[in-house]
Amino acid sequence: QLGKTRGAMAYPKPYTEGETLEESADPPVSQVMWKPPDLSIGGRWYRERVENLRKAIHGMENAQEELEKGLRDLDTHRSNYDSEGPRPTTLQLLWWEFPQEHWKELREGSTMNFLESPPDTIHENAVMTEHELEAAVEFTEELISLGVLRLGNELVRTTAPLFVVDKPGQPGQYRVIADMLRGGQNSRIGADPTILPRITHIAEQLYAGGFSCVVDASKYFYQFRTNPLDYPFLGVKHPKTGDLYYYHG
């Protein structure tokens, strides 16, 4: 889980008799800032992660192999931070730090739950303006650099065509979307009920008298590995080079 997140939460101060609404409406603001702990080898955080890994692989037939791979994953994970905060290079979750019921999917790759294979179709991306194309190329290249997209010209059978929309309230900013509806993936995925937690689930308990909250989550990813069996159907056509990439995670 990586991100550059800054937030501010304001809560109303008590209104006192004789005070005008304008005088009472200037709330105190608390800045929410985060810095990573010491991630160095030998530090407390690192030792705890290694100890948790050893506990998780205890009893596995290939425990030594999983230990070596886990230590490599740990090094990759650590490389995404500096002393000030997240600096994403190659995204990597630590599977053993999650509840045990999720270990297998996080370690081997999470399935998209395809009920049948999407049709083999390499879709063309949407027609884009010059600025939209620039945004799409930049976004695609960023995912490639982070290891999220991997080259798969010989592997990809189905793509999700890319299109670009304006970000509301942010002139000159764009959102790049892989269209799995037009790509045919969505109609072949089984329903997977889930709960999407909202900030109000927490904030309403903390600030029963009311609150306002502003959060800017820039470059926020919740990164998990995709099951290799799904790679061929999670393709993206590079908007500039035309090369085919698959969503690796």
Side-chain angles (χ1 to χ4, degrees), residues 131-181:
H131 293 302
E132 290 173 343
L133 178 60
E134 182 180 345
V137 170
E138 180 181 358
F139 180 71
T140 303
E141 289 293 337
E142 180 180 16
L143 293 184
I144 293 171
S145 69
L146 291 171
V148 177
L149 293 180
R150 305 285 177 92
L151 188 63
N153 282 320
E154 304 300 323
L155 177 64
V156 172
R157 294 166 47 187
T158 306
T159 61
L162 299 178
F163 69 99
V164 179
V165 296
D166 295 333
K167 286 188 176 181
Q170 302 182 56
Q173 297 294 310
Y174 301 96
R175 178 174 291 112
V176 182
I177 301 173
D179 189 352
M180 292 178 65
L181 177 62

Side-chain angles (χ1 to χ4, degrees), residues 6 10 15 21 27 32 41 72-73 90 101-102 107 114 118-119 129 137 140 161 176 179 189 216 249:
R6 290 179 172 84
Y15 175 79
L21 179 61
V32 180
I41 295 177
R72 291 196 298 270
D73 289 347
T90 302
E101 60 266 27
H102 302 301
R107 191 172 73 251
F114 284 115
T129 67
V137 170
T140 303
V176 182
D179 189 352
I189 294 175
D216 177 14

Side-chain angles (χ1 to χ4, degrees), residues 2 12 15-16 32 49 79 83-84 89 99 102 116 122 148 155 160 162 168 176 181-182 189 210 218 222 243-244 247:
L2 298 174
Y15 175 79
T16 56
V32 180
R49 304 288 82 71
S79 72
S83 60
E84 295 301 316
T89 56
H102 302 301
E116 62 179 8
I122 305 302
V148 177
L155 177 64
L162 299 178
V176 182
L181 177 62
R182 191 157 67 92
I189 294 175
S218 175
Y222 189 80
D243 285 322
L244 301 180
Y247 187 90

Side-chain angles (χ1 to χ4, degrees), residues 49-59 64 67 71 96:
R49 304 288 82 71
V50 174
E51 179 62 24
N52 290 345
L53 172 60
R54 291 185 183 277
K55 291 178 180 177
I57 65 175
H58 179 72
Q64 183 60 34
L67 174 62
L71 292 176
W96 61 91

Side-chain angles (χ1 to χ4, degrees), residues 213-234:
C213 184
V214 178
V215 176
D216 177 14
S218 175
K219 307 301 182 190
Y220 181 87
F221 297 89
Y222 189 80
Q223 178 65 8
F224 59 90
R225 186 164 295 151
T226 305
N227 191 291
L229 294 177
D230 292 342
Y231 291 166
F233 312 114
L234 300 177

Side-chain angles (χ1 to χ4, degrees), residues 34-96:
W34 176 85
K35 287 187 176 183
D38 176 15
L39 305 180
S40 62
I41 295 177
R44 177 179 177 181
W45 183 91
Y46 184 88
R47 296 196 311 272
E48 289 177 349
R49 304 288 82 71
V50 174
E51 179 62 24
N52 290 345
L53 172 60
R54 291 185 183 277
K55 291 178 180 177
I57 65 175
H58 179 72
M60 289 185 179
E61 293 183 1
N62 60 337
Q64 183 60 34
E65 178 183 345
E66 289 292 345
L67 174 62
E68 294 172 359
K69 186 176 184 305
L71 292 176
R72 291 196 298 270
D73 289 347
L74 181 55
D75 286 341
T76 300
H77 181 83
R78 291 168 53 242
S79 72
N80 288 288
Y81 302 85
D82 61 20
S83 60
E84 295 301 316
R87 295 293 182 270
T89 56
T90 302
L91 306 188
Q92 178 64 58
L93 287 182
L94 304 178
W95 60 265
W96 61 91

